[in-house]
């Protein structure tokens, strides 16, 4: 068993009740691990508890019940807070809410400055991080004039400059156009593959989920499916029942199988579909 980057043990969380409304669990008895170096995707429809569990992974929220351990540190222990936040960074949906400075490089420097990193080292980290997301040429630009995808890449550079071991992305492509979405996903994959940073990606795009090492599916505050993308997506009926899609080709195979054609349903992309269809003859 590989070492865990994040370990959630029987985690439950309740937001404080709003006047007149009943208190209910946003996350209810969730247990899973994120391995070091892994690219994990979390799926689930709106309100299933994805953002709530994500915020537990860098101690923005502390479980009402259960335990979250980040890189060996218990999030409940107040003295671990800074260490946890520097090891596990978060990128959110709206890039405009994450950019604080008027110049790109100042924005990227903000995180390491807060961690008390030496100025010379900050300079180095800012340049490196901007190069990693392909935004170095824009270092003197004003963030608000950039595209959504570019802004999100600046936000990612800002996290990279803190040298985290793990980055949690909460629907980072939801507000982007298709080209921005592709750019950002490419960055995320590179950060994982080239620099070995552990990735937790919350998304509702199945093509993004298909690229993960492992997928967990949440529904009503619980984890209901977990496995490799092709294992999870082969549960076409369960996925549809909770209002989620599967990749188009997976669904097509499922429908073919249902109509009596003996085709493999463990299919994730067009190339595999073509192979499976060719084998029918
Ligand atoms: P997801 O990210 O999967 O859409 P969330 O974790 O945001 O789900 O929400 C899970 C549940 O918690 C929902 O029922 C939502 O209404 C509730 N919730 C989320 N944020 C708050 C909050 N700040 N205060 C009260 N309830 C909240
Ligand atoms: Mg959410």
């Amino acid at each position: 068993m590989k070492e865990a980057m994040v370990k959630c043990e029987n985690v439950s969380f309740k937001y404080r009740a709003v006047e007149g409304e009943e208190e209910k669990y946003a996350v209810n008895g969730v247990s899973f691990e994120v391995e070091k170096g892994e690219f994990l995707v979390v799926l689930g429809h709106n309100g299933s508890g994805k953002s709530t569990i994500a915020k537990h992974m860098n101690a923005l929220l502390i479980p009402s019940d259960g335990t979250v351990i980040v890189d060996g540190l218990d999030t409940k222990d107040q003295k671990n807070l800074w260490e946890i936040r520097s090891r596990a960074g978060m990128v959110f949906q709206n890039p405009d809410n994450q950019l604080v400075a008027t110049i790109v490089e100042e924005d990227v420097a903000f995180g390491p400055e807060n961690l008390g990193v030496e100025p010379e080292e900050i300079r180095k980290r800012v340049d490196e991080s901007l190069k990693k997301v392909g935004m170095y040429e824009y270092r003197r630009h004003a963030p608000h004039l950039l595209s959504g995808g570019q802004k999100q890449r600046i936000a990612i550079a800002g996290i990279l400059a803190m040298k985290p071991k793990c980055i949690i992305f909460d629907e980072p492509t939801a507000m982007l156009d298709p080209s921005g979405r592709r750019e950002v996903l490419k960055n995320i994959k590179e950060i994982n593959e080239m620099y070995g940073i552990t990735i937790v990606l919350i998304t509702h795009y199945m093509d993004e989920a298909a690229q993960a090492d492992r997928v967990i599916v949440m529904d009503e505050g619980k984890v209901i499916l977990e496995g490799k993308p092709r294992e999870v997506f082969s549960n076409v009926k369960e996925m549809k029942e909770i209002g989620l899609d599967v990749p188009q080709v997976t669904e097509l195979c499922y429908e073919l199988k249902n109509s009596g054609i003996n085709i493999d349903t463990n299919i994730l992309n067009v190339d595999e579909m073509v192979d499976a269809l060719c084998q029918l003859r």
Side-chain angles (χ1 to χ4, degrees):
M1 183 74 193
K2 277 197 190 159
E3 223 179 317
M5 180 68 226
V6 181
K7 189 172 180 157
C8 297
E9 282 176 320
N10 216 6
V11 175
S12 295
F13 184 83
K14 245 193 246 186
Y15 289 97
R16 215 180 303 152
V18 189
E19 279 269 277
E21 272 181 43
E22 196 192 344
E23 234 184 25
K24 67 168 187 120
Y25 282 100
V27 165
N28 194 348
V30 163
S31 298
F32 66 89
E33 286 187 15
V34 189
E35 282 175 16
K36 286 199 167 144
E38 188 176 32
F39 177 7
L40 176 78
V41 156
V42 181
L43 291 173
H45 63 67
N46 282 342
S48 58
K50 305 181 300 296
S51 295
T52 304
I53 196 70
K55 285 176 186 152
H56 279 79
M57 296 188 207
N58 78 338
L60 281 176
L61 294 175
I62 308 300
S64 316
D65 273 306
T67 314
V68 178
I69 308 285
V70 179
D71 204 19
L73 303 169
D74 192 331
T75 62
K76 246 191 229 105
D77 197 340
Q78 186 75 31
K79 72 174 194 309
N80 289 335
L81 197 68
W82 276 95
E83 199 50 46
I84 288 170
R85 298 259 170 89
S86 69
R87 292 189 203 179
M90 253 190 108
V91 174
F92 298 93
Q93 191 176 93
N94 189 344
D96 290 319
N97 295 344
Q98 298 172 81
L99 304 178
V100 288
T102 50
I103 309 280
V104 164
E105 59 185 2
E106 284 171 13
D107 202 280
V108 177
F110 189 74
E113 268 165 11
N114 271 344
L115 293 177
V117 176
E118 296 292 323
E120 218 171 294
E121 169 70 12
I122 292 179
R123 179 74 262 164
K124 220 175 95 202
R125 289 193 191 185
V126 167
D127 290 349
E128 274 174 12
S129 304
L130 282 170
K131 283 175 189 164
K132 283 178 183 168
V133 299
M135 289 298 290
Y136 183 66
E137 298 87 87
Y138 291 85
R139 65 194 176 281
R140 303 264 148 76
H141 286 232
H144 71 274
L145 297 176
L146 301 175
S147 73
Q150 289 174 324
K151 284 185 206 170
Q152 200 59 305
R153 285 151 69 196
I154 302 298
I156 296 171
I159 299 293
L160 286 174
M162 297 198 279
K163 297 221 174 242
K165 292 186 176 180
C166 173
I167 307 181
I168 301 118
F169 293 89
D170 192 353
E171 303 201 26
T173 62
M175 298 180 77
L176 307 181
D177 62 16
S179 78
R181 189 155 88 76
R182 269 195 303 277
E183 288 165 17
V184 167
L185 192 72
K186 179 169 160 282
N187 277 172
I188 293 174
K189 289 205 69 175
E190 279 177 5
I191 288 167
N192 177 246
E193 286 167 6
M194 294 165 71
Y195 313 114
I197 295 176
T198 307
I199 302 292
V200 177
L201 171 66
I202 297 174
T203 182
H204 54 253
Y205 291 109
M206 296 304 143
D207 58 323
E208 296 181 1
Q211 300 181 46
D213 293 325
R214 197 159 54 100
V215 174
I216 67 176
V217 180
M218 292 191 67
D219 189 44
E220 297 192 0
K222 294 183 191 296
V223 172
I224 58 155
L225 288 170
E226 174 173 356
K228 294 204 176 349
R230 65 180 76 246
E231 294 164 1
V232 165
F233 291 139
S234 66
N235 298 289
V236 177
K237 191 161 155 280
E238 291 88 336
M239 293 288 278
K240 294 205 158 246
E241 270 166 13
I242 61 161
L244 289 178
D245 281 328
V246 299
Q248 269 179 345
V249 285
T250 310
E251 181 163 7
L252 180 54
C253 291
Y254 174 78
E255 294 299 342
L256 288 172
K257 184 118 194 167
N258 275 350
S259 56
I261 293 166
N262 184 23
I263 191 169
D264 189 0
T265 50
N266 263 352
I267 290 209
L268 270 188
N269 56 50
V270 174
D271 289 344
E272 293 178 5
M273 179 86 202
V274 170
D275 284 346
L277 287 174
C278 288
Q279 278 172 24
L280 290 178
R281 296 194 294 136

